[in-house]
Structures are given as structure tokens and as C-alpha cells.
Amino acid sequence: MNSYHGTRKKKKFDVLMVLAILLFVAGVALLLVDPIRTYLRNKKTEEGYNIVEAQISQNAASNNGDDVTEITFIVPKDANEVNGEEYDIFTDNEEEKAAMSSMLDEEYDNMPDYVTLKAIGILQIDSVDINIVVWDVATRVSLRYGGGHYGSSVLPGQYGNCSILAHHMRHAETNFHNLDKVKIGDEIKFTVTNGTTFTYVVDEIKTVHAYELEENLQGNITKKRRITLVTCSYTETEKMRLLVIGHIKE
């Protein structure tokens, strides 16, 4: 009888040990998901940057930049996600926000399995070690691998406001991770695909709500050559948006 109870206790103990080990392994795996995803995303981002940088050099060397080859980079749609990635929806009306969010989710679902990104250039802020590719659209996929150009704004170097969005990457020093360290007077350099570099000087820094973004991002809000960089700004109570604004250095 004692032997029977002892065997049952041992089997019960063995089962509990197996469950504990499985839970431990599952916990470790969950802890590793974000670091692994970040590592893979950074590798893909670096790959894209190297392709864009090399092609810009070739374009600049070819007929003084007149013969420009389009620069593209293919990435998987469902990989290397950024925690909390979402679109900025420019309204504080909850019904409108829900409708727009649903539309954007559907748009994302209908994307092909592999997405072709098109580069418009490379953005650099040497003072805070920012050096990223900027893609021609600011979508959930493109913002994983650099910055995105806001479609209703002008292109770099043109007259008007050029708006560039990128993730803050709170726990990974990529994209606009250091944008909150930029100071008035810092230079923003934007090298477009033909090799021409436009230099802007930062003259305004401010924080706004997401629903206030649209009035700050449109291309026609100024006749001067201006650039507006946008990323998340975290406060104790809510997630705001940081805007770094500069005008062309004549």
C-alpha cells in the first residue's frame, strides 16, 4: 500500500516538474521574441540602407546625377513588426477614428506577402547619430525599415513643407530613437536619389497630440523650403507626437 502511494506521489511530482519546465521554456521563449525580432529587423534595415546608399552613389556618378535609377527594396509584409505599430489617425472623433482604423487594417490585410519599398533618399542628423533611409510612403511596413514620406507634403528640396515620419524605437537605437535629443541649430541633411544633398537647420521643436498632426504636416502650410520630422513622444499620461522643424540652409 505504501509503495502504491509512493509511486503515485512520484508520478504526480514528475508531471509537475515537466509542467514547470515547459512553463519555464515558454516564458524564456516569450522573453526572447522581441530581442530576436529586433535583431532581424535591424539586419533587414541595414541591408536596405546599404542597397540605397550604393545606388545613390552610382546615380550621382552617372551623368552628373541626371541618369537616376529607381531604388527599391523588397520586404516581407508579415515579419519584423514593431511593438505597438499603428497609423496616426488625424482626428479626435472616436467614430471617425474607428472607421479609419478599420479601413487601414483592411488595406494592410490586402497587401501582397512581399512589399516593394521605394526609396526617396537618406536622412542624416550627425549631432544625434540618426542615419536612415526614407521611403516614398509612410505605411506600417515601410516604417519598420526607416522613415516614410507623408504623401500630402512636398519632396525634399522643394518649396513647401516636407514631412517625414519614423518610429521612436524606444528600446532599439534605430530610426528616430534619438530625435528627442535634437537641438535648435542642428543640421538635417537629406540626400535624394540623384545624389543631391539638401541641408536644413532646426529652428523649432514642439510636441502635439496626434489629432493635431495634419495641420502641421501638409505641404502647403508654408512657401519656404521646410522639413518636419515626426515621431512619438512619451509622457507619463499619454503618447504625444514630437515635431522637429527646420528650414533650408541657403
Side-chain angles (χ1 to χ4, degrees):
M1 193 71 160
N2 287 339
S3 175
Y4 170 74
H5 283 297
T7 302
R8 285 190 63 187
K9 284 182 180 179
K10 186 177 184 307
K11 286 182 178 178
K12 188 175 181 180
F13 176 78
D14 289 344
V15 170
L16 290 173
M17 280 297 294
V18 170
L19 285 173
I21 291 169
L22 289 174
L23 288 171
F24 175 77
V25 170
V28 170
L30 285 173
L31 288 173
L32 289 175
V33 166
D34 281 345
I36 291 172
R37 183 185 290 165
T38 298
Y39 171 77
L40 294 174
R41 183 174 59 247
N42 288 349
K43 287 216 39 153
K44 196 70 176 173
T45 300
E46 183 179 3
E47 178 188 348
Y49 181 90
N50 290 337
I51 289 171
V52 173
E53 183 183 44
Q55 189 59 59
I56 286 177
S57 295
Q58 289 184 33
N59 287 344
S62 175
N63 296 323
N64 296 316
D66 293 330
D67 184 16
V68 178
T69 299
E70 183 177 270
I71 309 174
T72 59
F73 183 52
I74 298 175
V75 297
K77 181 189 82 170
D78 296 315
N80 307 321
E81 296 92 337
V82 175
N83 280 338
E85 65 181 15
E86 59 185 23
Y87 289 102
D88 274 319
I89 298 175
F90 307 133
T91 177
D92 56 354
N93 182 295
E94 293 303 322
E95 289 186 6
E96 289 181 6
K97 189 178 292 187
M100 291 176 69
S101 179
S102 177
M103 180 188 72
L104 290 168
D105 286 341
E106 183 178 354
E107 183 181 277
Y108 177 81
D109 292 339
N110 290 332
M111 282 183 179
D113 291 338
Y114 287 86
V115 178
T116 300
L117 305 179
K118 179 182 174 183
I120 64 168
I122 289 176
L123 184 148
Q124 295 173 274
I125 309 178
D126 293 335
S127 61
V128 293
D129 197 27
I130 287 175
N131 194 11
I132 63 172
V133 173
V134 177
W135 309 105
D136 68 334
V137 291
T139 65
R140 192 183 302 181
V141 176
S142 68
L143 294 184
R144 294 171 190 165
Y145 307 101
H149 175 249
Y150 182 63
S152 296
S153 71
V154 304
L155 289 170
Q158 293 181 343
Y159 285 89
N161 180 47
C162 171
S163 295
I164 307 297
L165 293 77
H167 286 303
H168 182 275
M169 298 296 194
R170 190 190 291 192
H171 303 299
E173 294 190 9
T174 57
N175 294 0
F176 277 172
H177 175 79
N178 287 332
L179 194 64
D180 53 358
K181 297 177 183 176
V182 169
K183 297 177 181 178
I184 300 294
D186 286 354
E187 290 187 347
I188 301 166
K189 296 177 181 178
F190 203 114
T191 304
V192 296
T193 53
N194 70 0
T196 302
T197 297
F198 299 99
T199 301
Y200 300 83
V201 178
V202 176
D203 50 23
E204 184 179 1
I205 299 170
K206 62 181 180 179
T207 304
V208 301
H209 289 276
Y211 59 80
E212 297 176 291
L213 273 178
E214 190 167 26
E215 63 196 69
N216 290 279
L217 301 187
Q218 298 296 327
N220 61 3
I221 60 177
T222 180
K223 292 182 179 179
K224 296 180 179 180
R225 291 194 284 179
R226 158 177 156 168
I227 195 167
T228 300
L229 309 183
V230 185
T231 196
C232 291
S233 176
Y234 298 93
T235 68
E236 293 181 0
T237 56
E238 57 188 322
K239 192 163 69 171
M240 307 285 284
R241 300 297 183 272
L242 172 68
L243 275 61
V244 172
I245 299 166
H247 286 82
I248 203 84
K249 183 178 181 180
E250 300 293 350

